[in-house]
Amino acid sequence: MELIVKSLISALFVGALGLVIYVQHNGLKAAKERAERAEQIARDRDDTIKTLTDAAARDKKAAAKLQTAHDRIATTLAERENLIESLQHENPTIRSWADTPLPDAIAGLRQHPAATGADDYRQRLSNSDPLPTAGGSAQD
């Protein structure tokens, strides 16, 4: 009888040990899967950060190019405005031409604010009144 009790206790101990090992194995497997998912999420995040960093660098280079072009255009504009002003001071023919008032139709064109983009320009074209012809009304 004592042998049977010892055998049963041993069997229970082995079963309990097997159950503990099984539970630990499943816990370890689940922890490994969570770690792999976390690593994948970290890789995806790192890829996203790299993509955004690259895009920011490209945008910064493009902005620098645009600023350079803007500065170059502003310099050219200032030079040309200075040239026109000096020509107006030096040449009486140009001065009298520059002092001549613009015709009403042309002066009306200058009263519109600057278009700030394609959509603004398209909207202004669709909403504006047609320009009058140079000689008055058109006849078919």
Side-chain angles (χ1 to χ4, degrees):
M1 182 80 171
E2 199 175 296
L3 185 59
I4 294 175
V5 172
K6 286 184 180 181
S7 295
L8 282 175
I9 291 175
S10 296
L12 282 173
F13 180 72
V14 169
L17 186 59
L19 181 63
V20 167
I21 291 172
Y22 176 76
V23 169
Q24 289 294 324
H25 175 70
N26 284 344
L28 184 60
K29 185 177 175 182
K32 185 177 179 182
E33 289 172 359
R34 284 192 305 271
E36 288 172 355
R37 272 196 311 267
E39 287 174 358
Q40 182 61 43
I41 289 170
R43 281 192 298 272
D44 291 346
R45 185 181 57 236
D46 290 345
D47 290 345
T48 301
I49 289 170
K50 183 178 182 332
T51 301
L52 291 173
T53 303
D54 292 346
R58 283 191 308 272
D59 289 349
K60 187 175 180 180
K61 286 180 183 177
K65 285 182 182 179
L66 284 174
Q67 186 62 44
T68 301
H70 176 271
D71 293 345
R72 189 175 60 244
I73 290 169
T75 301
T76 302
L77 176 63
E79 289 171 355
R80 289 182 183 175
E81 286 175 342
N82 289 338
L83 175 63
I84 290 170
E85 189 173 323
S86 68
L87 287 174
Q88 286 177 357
H89 289 296
E90 295 170 4
N91 190 324
T93 305
I94 293 176
R95 186 178 324 119
S96 67
W97 174 83
D99 290 339
T100 304
L102 292 173
D104 291 339
I106 295 175
L109 292 174
R110 299 193 69 180
Q111 293 174 355
H112 293 289
T116 57
D119 290 334
D120 185 31
Y121 181 72
R122 192 175 316 113
Q123 183 69 24
R124 183 172 305 142
L125 286 179
S126 64
N127 290 341
S128 65
D129 297 326
L131 293 175
T133 59
S137 62
Q139 296 180 2
D140 293 340

